[in-house]
Amino acid sequence: MKIYKFGGASVKDAEGVKNVALVLETQGFEKCLLVVSAMGKTTNALEKVVEYYFKKQDYQKEIELIKNDHIAIAKGLFSENHQVFGEISLFFDDIDSFLRRNKSPNYNFVYDQVVSCGEMISSKILSEYLNEIQFFNHWLDARDYIKTDSNYREGIVNWQETEQNISKLDKINCYVTQGFIGSETNNFTVTLGREGSDYTAAIFAYCLNADEMTIWKDVPGVMTGDPRKFDNVELLSFISYEEAIEMAYYGASVIHPKTLQPLKQKNIPFFVKSFVEPKEPGTKVGNSAENESVESYILKENQTLLNVETRDFSFIAEDHISLIFTLLAKYKIKVSLMQNSAISLALCLEDKFGTANEFNEELQQSFITQMTKNVSLFTVRNAELDKLEKFYKDKKVLLEQISKKTFQMVTM
């Protein structure tokens, strides 16, 4: 089978949905499974619903706006009496009904039950449209197949159960399903982290022993830098799994960090291509012999720099580091870069859940800390180490680190 993943930008409107069909015409629509994200900025809009719900503001008005947007898209695809309009309404009725009867104060739990509806609706619209134009497919609820723990918003996949479920699919058929979501033992929805639709595609690819997997983006492939942030970037034709994982870890937005691991385990070729120019080759990610060692640039914004020192001027030792990382895990904060000296530890942190202040307060019971928010981590992969001076221009550097292949700096 082939696995195709279409992101929110590719299905943001009726023309985008129609273009998915055009892409499939160029690639063939036999023995494939499509993973689709929520349409356009729907996830952000549904996050606003959750925020308003907890602030006791008018979240129902926001639900109605999102519903109307999806109905408008559907009107550009279907006749007015098509069953899909009733199904769209049902999804939004389910959101409203859940929020009315919910008693849980757990923000992450509520978040997953509400925000996941974006993928459910987009996949239903795409599946119905493809069937309408004779691209026959089966719509799957990913939550029936991908099973996780109860770690809401960052679900950890139960691979044994998931593989058992997915392997039962008939590989001669075509399917449309949702990215980003699974379910726990009580069948409540659990999301796999923001941008988790790529990961979903990799899970299905792994469990189905797919021939290949392709992510369709609005860029030609993996570039040497985000063209919205860097000038004179070029397309990388081939990169290794290892290089792709490094780039994803440092913040390259084209690839989700978890995506590469299951693909690498079974050596499933992975392509990043443009849904605007589907016949172009894009980027292939595969075995290391195919790696292109070209200087690449990654900017990871909205980071937090935390400097930690011991109170008694003692060395930062293993017991100190153990305590710090235990607290990082407790508050679900990820480390993008770390650097230590004898009596201090500098951490560049990704605070996805907004818990950095709580983490800092607890840390201050044992350490002296200094926090700087809204910094950026700039990474150069395959850097020409004798030509680094060009990167310092117009930057206030708070921290820098150089290794054999990588140059990094934290800047204001």
Side-chain angles (χ1 to χ4, degrees):
M1 293 191 77
K2 294 181 180 180
I3 310 298
Y4 298 139
K5 182 262 176 173
F6 289 91
S10 64
V11 289
K12 65 181 180 180
D13 51 28
E15 291 308 309
V17 174
K18 290 175 183 177
N19 186 65
V20 169
L22 296 176
V23 171
L24 294 174
E25 280 182 13
T26 70
Q27 305 299 307
F29 192 62
E30 299 83 30
K31 298 181 183 178
C32 69
L33 182 142
L34 275 59
V35 173
V36 63
S37 300
M39 293 176 151
K41 300 295 183 182
T42 300
T43 300
N44 293 343
L46 287 167
E47 285 178 336
K48 194 173 177 182
V49 169
V50 178
E51 181 188 340
Y52 279 22
Y53 170 76
F54 277 97
K55 288 181 176 178
K56 302 194 184 312
Q57 296 177 356
D58 187 2
Y59 65 84
Q60 288 166 316
K61 180 182 176 183
E62 298 302 316
I63 293 173
E64 196 64 23
L65 289 171
I66 305 166
K67 176 182 174 180
N68 290 340
D69 285 344
H70 283 81
I71 287 173
I73 292 171
K75 283 180 177 177
L77 300 168
F78 304 98
S79 59
E80 61 182 27
N81 59 350
H82 196 281
Q83 64 179 20
V84 76
F85 292 101
E87 291 174 345
I88 292 170
S89 294
L90 276 175
F91 281 122
F92 286 101
D93 289 345
D94 285 346
I95 297 173
D96 190 43
S97 175
F98 166 75
L99 291 174
R100 284 176 182 274
R101 67 178 190 273
N102 173 62
K103 304 293 185 211
S104 174
N106 184 337
Y107 188 97
N108 293 336
F109 167 74
V110 174
Y111 178 101
D112 279 3
Q113 311 320 303
V114 172
V115 172
S116 57
C117 289
E119 275 70 18
M120 300 297 291
I121 300 161
S122 65
S123 62
K124 178 59 74 172
I125 290 173
L126 178 60
S127 175
E128 292 284 355
Y129 176 72
L130 292 176
N131 278 324
E132 189 87 349
I133 61 168
Q134 312 300 303
F135 278 7
F136 295 114
N137 68 90
H138 301 274
W139 181 83
L140 302 180
D141 188 334
R143 298 171 298 183
D144 293 336
Y145 296 88
I146 298 177
K147 306 306 286 188
T148 72
D149 63 2
S150 299
N151 189 26
Y152 298 107
R153 293 182 72 184
E154 285 282 348
I156 296 172
V157 173
N158 180 328
W159 280 95
Q160 184 178 356
E161 194 176 350
T162 298
E163 190 167 11
Q164 222 171 38
N165 294 336
I166 293 175
S167 63
K168 293 174 185 174
L169 291 173
D170 190 336
K171 295 181 183 180
I172 67 167
N173 292 324
C174 296
Y175 303 94
V176 174
T177 192
Q178 311 79 40
F180 183 53
I181 64 175
S183 67
E184 38 93 298
T185 51
N186 293 313
N187 293 320
F188 286 111
T189 306
V190 180
T191 62
L192 306 177
R194 282 302 296 264
E195 311 303 329
S197 294
D198 294 3
Y199 185 37
T200 298
I203 293 168
F204 275 100
Y206 177 92
C207 295
L208 290 168
N209 294 307
D211 292 332
E212 62 184 57
M213 172 179 142
T214 304
I215 291 178
W216 297 95
K217 310 283 280 187
D218 56 357
V219 291
V222 179
M223 313 291 286
T224 54
D226 186 336
R228 294 166 297 186
K229 297 174 182 175
F230 300 100
D231 297 325
N232 304 316
V233 295
E234 58 187 271
L235 177 70
L236 293 166
S237 300
F238 300 100
I239 54 175
S240 66
Y241 292 113
E242 293 81 3
E243 181 66 15
I245 288 170
E246 292 282 353
M247 291 176 71
Y249 174 77
Y250 290 126
S253 59
V254 175
I255 307 168
H256 188 272
K258 295 178 185 174
T259 302
L260 284 304
Q261 294 155 352
L263 300 176
K264 165 66 174 169
Q265 284 184 46
K266 292 193 175 179
N267 285 325
I268 297 169
F270 168 44
F271 297 88
V272 181
K273 294 185 178 183
S274 166
F275 60 74
V276 180
E277 299 286 347
K279 292 183 180 179
E280 294 299 312
T283 301
K284 180 181 179 182
V285 180
N287 290 320
S288 56
E290 298 173 323
N291 192 45
E292 267 186 289
S293 296
V294 181
E295 192 169 81
S296 303
Y297 317 104
I298 304 161
L299 187 65
K300 201 171 186 179
E301 298 173 306
N302 302 314
Q303 302 287 290
T304 297
L305 181 63
L306 186 70
N307 289 288
V308 184
E309 295 181 16
T310 54
R311 288 192 175 276
D312 58 2
F313 211 61
S314 61
F315 291 157
I316 289 277
E318 288 80 5
D319 56 339
H320 297 125
I321 293 174
S322 175
L323 172 59
I324 292 166
F325 274 80
T326 298
L327 291 176
L328 284 166
K330 175 183 174 181
Y331 289 103
K332 297 184 177 181
I333 297 172
K334 295 188 177 178
V335 178
S336 302
L337 177 70
M338 64 178 287
Q339 188 178 97
N340 70 292
S341 67
I343 59 170
S344 69
L345 177 68
L347 298 168
C348 182
L349 305 172
E350 185 174 358
D351 181 26
K352 286 202 293 187
F353 295 94
T355 56
N357 289 338
E358 296 170 70
F359 165 67
N360 187 38
E361 286 173 16
E362 188 162 351
L363 206 58
Q364 285 176 339
Q365 296 173 20
S366 306
F367 301 95
I368 299 168
T369 69
Q370 182 182 354
M371 181 184 282
T372 309
K373 293 195 173 185
N374 297 318
V375 300
S376 296
L377 174 62
F378 175 56
T379 301
V380 184
R381 287 286 295 165
N382 302 304
E384 297 181 63
L385 299 181
D386 57 340
K387 299 178 182 178
L388 296 180
E389 66 279 354
K390 60 187 175 184
F391 299 120
Y392 290 91
K393 187 179 179 183
D394 301 325
K395 290 187 176 75
K396 182 181 178 182
V397 180
L398 305 177
L399 184 72
E400 62 182 291
Q401 192 162 285
I402 302 174
S403 64
K404 185 178 178 182
K405 273 190 160 188
T406 307
F407 167 65
Q408 294 182 282
M409 57 166 67
V410 178
T411 65
M412 291 286 282

